[in-house]
């Protein structure tokens, strides 16, 4: 690890000297460096690119970074697949790789075209915390990334399924984006329900899905599902979004109406 850090430092010094030249001359070499087999060299190139004035505004740089993120995503997924979820690339290369990946995701997120479907697919396949600022921003495009979330929630790697379900629950419970249609919300909720049943072969994923459904039923967010949660839903029964007495906490399935379905969702998860 010390050797990699030394090599990276030396590479950064070389790039710092080169950066005194016209950025138009430096950028092509840095983009080529992004394709290195060594992630530490890719990190060094990324570090220099984001520091070059105006480089991040050029289509070639934005395209190269998006392509690099897509490659890193596939590396992460293949590593999980080959180890049956036991080992990630970060586990293999250490925390330095995680810093590099986070920097790359941040750079792409800041410059990407969020209105492009291919870009959104790559962003949705990335590794991120479900409660992060990036996740909140992505949630605004939930209808566009729903196919990707569905694919991951039904995928062949348990850790990827779990990560997708964590994000789905966060969308339904916390973000509740205005762009999410009732049909889209129903599809997200169905993903959690499916993985909480015997259809899910991995007991850990099944257990976590049940936990996430329980968190949705905890409408007053006191850490447990009890009669207080039932009372919140009952007090808003029959109300619609925008109307008097409507309580968004009670609209669990996000259909903009508090009805028997919301009440049943909570009562079904009361402790015996």
């Amino acid at each position: 690890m010390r050797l990699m850090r030394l090599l990276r430092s030396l590479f950064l010094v070389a790039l710092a000297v080169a950066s005194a030249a016209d950025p138009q001359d430096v950028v092509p070499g840095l983009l080529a460096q992004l394709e290195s087999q060594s992630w530490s060299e890719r990190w060094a190139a990324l570090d220099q690119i984001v520091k070059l004035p105006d480089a991040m505004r050029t289509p070639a740089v934005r395209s190269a970074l998006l392509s690099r993120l897509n490659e890193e995503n596939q590396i992460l997924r293949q590593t999980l697949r080959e180890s049956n979820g036991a080992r990630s690339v970060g586990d293999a290369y250490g925390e330095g790789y995680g810093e590099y990946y986070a920097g790359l995701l941040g750079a792409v997120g800041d410059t990407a075209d969020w209105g492009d479907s291919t870009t959104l697919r790559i962003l949705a396949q990335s590794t991120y915390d479900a409660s992060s600022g990036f996740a909140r921003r992505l949630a605004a495009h939930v209808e566009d990334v729903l196919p990707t979330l569905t694919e991951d929630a039904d995928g062949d790697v348990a850790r990827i399924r779990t990560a997708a379900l964590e994000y789905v629950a966060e969308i339904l419970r916390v973000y509740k984006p205005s762009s999410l249609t009732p049909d889209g919300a129903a599809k997200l909720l169905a993903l959690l329900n499916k993985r909480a049943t015997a259809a899910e072969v991995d007991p850990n994923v099944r257990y976590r899905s049940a936990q996430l459904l329980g968190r949705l039923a905890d409408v007053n967010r006191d850490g447990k599902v009890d009669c207080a949660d039932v009372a919140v839903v009952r007090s808003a029964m029959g109300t619609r979004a925008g109307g008097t007495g409507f309580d968004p906490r009670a609209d669990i399935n996000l259909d903009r109406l508090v009805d028997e379905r919301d009440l049943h969702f909570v009562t079904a998860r009361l402790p015996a």
Side-chain angles (χ1 to χ4, degrees):
M1 192 65 183
R2 289 182 178 178
L3 178 59
M4 284 193 293
R5 287 176 178 171
L6 176 60
L7 290 173
R8 180 172 181 273
S9 298
L10 292 174
F11 188 71
L12 284 173
V13 171
L15 288 176
V17 174
S19 65
D22 190 331
Q24 296 287 340
D25 299 327
V26 176
V27 169
L30 293 174
L31 295 184
Q33 192 70 32
L34 277 178
E35 302 303 314
S36 170
Q37 294 297 310
S38 167
W39 68 264
S40 59
E41 291 187 6
R42 298 198 297 271
W43 187 10
L46 172 67
D47 188 65
Q48 192 64 21
I49 287 172
V50 298
K51 292 177 181 177
L52 288 174
D54 300 327
M56 298 294 289
R57 301 177 185 176
T58 63
V61 170
R62 293 201 300 267
S63 177
L65 292 180
L66 181 64
S67 177
R68 185 68 255 163
L69 178 62
N70 185 44
E71 290 294 324
E72 301 295 349
N73 289 344
Q74 302 317 310
I75 290 172
L76 283 164
R77 287 164 177 256
Q78 188 58 31
T79 301
L80 287 171
R81 186 170 289 109
E82 291 175 351
S83 66
N84 196 27
R87 197 180 195 201
S88 67
V89 174
D91 296 329
Y93 294 105
E95 62 182 28
Y97 179 86
E99 293 179 34
Y100 155 62
Y101 183 88
L104 177 60
L105 180 58
V108 172
D110 289 341
T111 60
D113 177 7
W114 287 70
D116 177 69
S117 59
T118 299
T119 298
L120 285 173
R121 177 184 58 79
I122 294 172
L123 292 174
Q125 286 185 335
S126 302
T127 299
Y128 50 88
D129 190 314
S131 60
S132 65
F134 173 86
R136 179 179 290 276
R137 185 179 181 186
L138 186 64
H141 304 270
V142 62
E143 291 286 339
D144 296 309
V145 301
L146 207 158
T148 302
L149 293 176
T150 300
E151 180 182 342
D152 284 350
D154 290 336
D156 60 344
V157 181
R159 281 180 63 172
I160 294 177
R161 293 201 299 278
T162 300
L165 295 170
E166 296 271 2
Y167 187 40
V168 164
E170 201 74 1
I171 292 171
L172 293 171
R173 182 172 182 263
V174 179
Y175 301 139
K176 301 183 179 183
S178 58
S179 60
L180 182 60
T181 65
D183 181 60
K187 290 177 180 178
L188 292 177
L189 194 55
L191 293 176
L192 287 168
N193 281 317
K194 179 180 179 180
R195 292 299 153 198
T197 68
E200 172 56 57
V201 297
D202 189 294
N204 293 321
V205 178
R206 190 162 60 246
Y207 176 73
R208 185 54 180 157
S209 298
Q211 280 188 318
L212 293 171
L213 287 167
R215 289 183 66 189
L216 288 175
D218 177 22
V219 294
N220 68 355
R221 302 190 183 184
D222 63 354
K224 58 184 181 295
V225 181
D226 57 18
C227 292
D229 300 297
V230 175
V232 170
V233 179
R234 285 191 182 280
S235 66
M237 284 290 287
T239 61
R240 293 182 177 273
T244 302
F246 179 77
D247 188 335
R249 297 177 301 167
D251 181 19
I252 296 167
N253 60 2
L254 302 186
D255 64 352
R256 301 176 176 85
L257 168 68
V258 180
D259 59 15
E260 290 293 337
R261 286 174 294 184
D262 300 299
L263 182 62
H264 175 72
F265 187 93
V266 175
T267 57
R269 288 167 178 81
L270 289 170

